Amino acid sequence: MMQVRKASDRGVAEHGWLSSRHTFSFASYMDRAQMGFSDLRVINEDRVAPGQGFGKHPHRDMEIFSYVLEGALAHSDSMGTGSVIKPGDVQLMSAGSGVTHSEFNGSDDEGVHFLQIWIAPAKAGGEPVYQQRHFAETDKRGQLRLIISPDGRDGSLRIQQDASVYAGLFDADESATLTLDDNRHAYVHVARGSIELNGVKLEAGDGVRLRNPRTLQLGNGGNAEVLVFDLRPQELPQMP
C-alpha cells in the first residue's frame, strides 16, 4: 500500500527566528493520525535565521540525525563534541541514557535549511554516541547511497535500530531502483525538487508511507534530493 501525504498537509510552526514544517506530530502540533511510521518518529524541515538557533536542551532514548540542505549548522553537546554540519554531511546522535546539545546557525547573513529526523532506538539506555560523515554529491548522484544502517556497512553511520536510510540526487533521466526484503515498510521523503516514485509524481516536502513495497523505483527527477527509510513492519498503536 502506498499512502502519499502532501507537503501542504504538514504541521506549521513559525517562531520568527525558526520556520518549521512537521511531517509527524511534534511540540504544539498534534495530529493523532500522524504520530510516526514504524520506528520513524520525527521529520522536521527547519529554516533557522542568521545568528539564531536551539539553545542547550536534553534528549534521551532517541536516534537523532541532521541532514543539512543549505547553510551550516553548528553543533555542541555534553559529550564534548563541537562540529559544523554542511550540505553533504550526515550527523547522527544516539542520545542513549541522556545528552544535552545545542544547534545554531553560526552565520550572520545566511539562513540554514536542514532536516531534523528522529528514529526510536531498539532499546533504552546505553552510552550516548556521536557520529558524522560527509557523503559526496557523486556518491548520491543518480543512485541511492546508504548513509545510515544498523551495522555501519559500506561506510554508513551506525544506528541503534533495525532501520536503514538512503539518500539520492536525481535529475532528468537519472533513476534508481531499491529492492527491499519481504515484510518491510518504507518511507520516502522528498527533501527538495520533484520526482516520480513508482510512477507517482511527488514534490518537495511530500512524504510517502509504503507497506510491504518490495520495489521502489525513483526517476524523472527535477533537481530532486530524496531520503528513503527501510523500516521494520512496526505499526504504532492508534491514539484515542
Side-chain angles (χ1 to χ4, degrees), residues 54-59 75-78 93 99-103:
F54 304 89
K56 193 168 288 187
H57 58 283
H59 291 285
H75 167 94
S76 178
D77 63 44
S78 56
M93 187 176 71
V99 65
T100 58
H101 77 141
S102 62
E103 293 174 303

Side-chain angles (χ1 to χ4, degrees), residues 1 3 18 24 28 35 56 60 66 85 91-93 99 118 130 141 149 164 168 182 185 187 207 223 238:
M1 185 177 74
Q3 182 182 1
L18 169 68
F24 303 117
S28 61
M35 301 303 295
K56 193 168 288 187
R60 65 176 299 138
S66 298
I85 309 149
Q91 173 220 54
L92 175 61
M93 187 176 71
V99 65
W118 297 9
Y130 182 92
R141 173 57 57 194
S149 70
S164 297
D182 291 335
H185 284 359
Y187 194 89
N223 192 32
Q238 293 296 309

